Amino acid sequence: MMSFKAFVLLSLSLAAISAYAYAQIAPGSNAYLPPTKNGYDYSEPKTPFKPSQPGRPAAPGPRPPAPPGTPRNIPGQPADDHVHVPGMPYDFEYAVQDPETANDYAHKASSDGDVVTGEYRVQMPDGRTQIVRYTADWKTGYHADVTYEGEATFPQGPQPGARGGSGGGGGGAGGYKY
């Protein structure tokens, strides 16, 4: 049977050999690659950046008007030379109804790769349900139609003078009851 002293010595020897072997194998095996010349994986621009001359503003001034008949690029709209590439079609839906935490909301949407249509519903604090039906596409952007279902209700707090107080909320206006 091996003595405790021999066991400890053998264990330490194995640990030292393992550490030495690991140190010989590990360097560089899990290291970042050295950066490329410009730090990214794309070619350098053909025309280098030229700083502005002293005494001149860095930003260009207003552009002269375009000649008549030239199409205008409207901000937020795709340019005439825009090439649209459709996205991946998808379809999803989820709903949460948890009375204990008063969470009640849902969302569903679908896309054919060009146009997204959907609807989401949220239970408002006043008891109404807000419904947002929307359509979004690459050409015209996001369009929403917001409606509400139900009647707004506001819980009454303690009445002024009840229990010797002036009511919940500021100015004796009542308020939510917790």
Side-chain angles (χ1 to χ4, degrees), residues 1 12 16-17 30 66 75 93 105 107 109 111 124 139 145 156:
M1 183 166 190
L12 288 174
I17 292 169
N30 191 19
E93 181 174 353
Y105 54 91
H107 186 191
S111 172
M124 305 299 285
K139 186 124 178 136
D145 178 35
Q156 293 298 315

Side-chain angles (χ1 to χ4, degrees), residues 76-151:
Q77 297 294 320
D80 293 334
D81 61 347
H82 173 77
V83 177
H84 173 65
V85 178
M88 177 70 80
Y90 63 86
D91 187 17
F92 75 87
E93 181 174 353
Y94 67 86
V96 174
Q97 290 182 327
D98 186 13
E100 186 177 321
T101 60
N103 281 313
D104 188 359
Y105 54 91
H107 186 191
K108 62 181 173 181
S110 63
S111 172
D112 62 2
D114 284 325
V115 179
V116 178
T117 56
E119 170 183 305
Y120 60 89
R121 298 170 168 261
V122 179
Q123 183 71 42
M124 305 299 285
D126 63 11
R128 298 177 299 163
T129 301
Q130 180 187 51
I131 304 165
V132 179
R133 292 180 181 91
Y134 63 88
T135 302
D137 63 33
W138 68 276
K139 186 124 178 136
T140 63
Y142 180 81
H143 306 279
D145 178 35
V146 181
T147 58
Y148 294 89
E149 285 182 353
E151 289 292 321

Side-chain angles (χ1 to χ4, degrees), residues 11-81:
S11 297
L12 288 174
S13 299
L14 286 174
I17 292 169
S18 299
Y20 177 77
Y22 181 76
Q24 297 304 312
I25 297 169
S29 64
N30 191 19
Y32 290 109
L33 296 174
T36 58
K37 181 181 171 192
N38 62 7
Y40 297 96
D41 192 18
Y42 59 84
S43 58
E44 299 244 352
K46 305 231 185 302
T47 307
F49 174 75
K50 294 179 185 175
S52 64
Q53 296 173 356
R56 292 190 64 189
R63 293 183 182 165
T70 305
R72 274 186 39 197
N73 288 339
I74 301 170
Q77 297 294 320
D80 293 334
D81 61 347

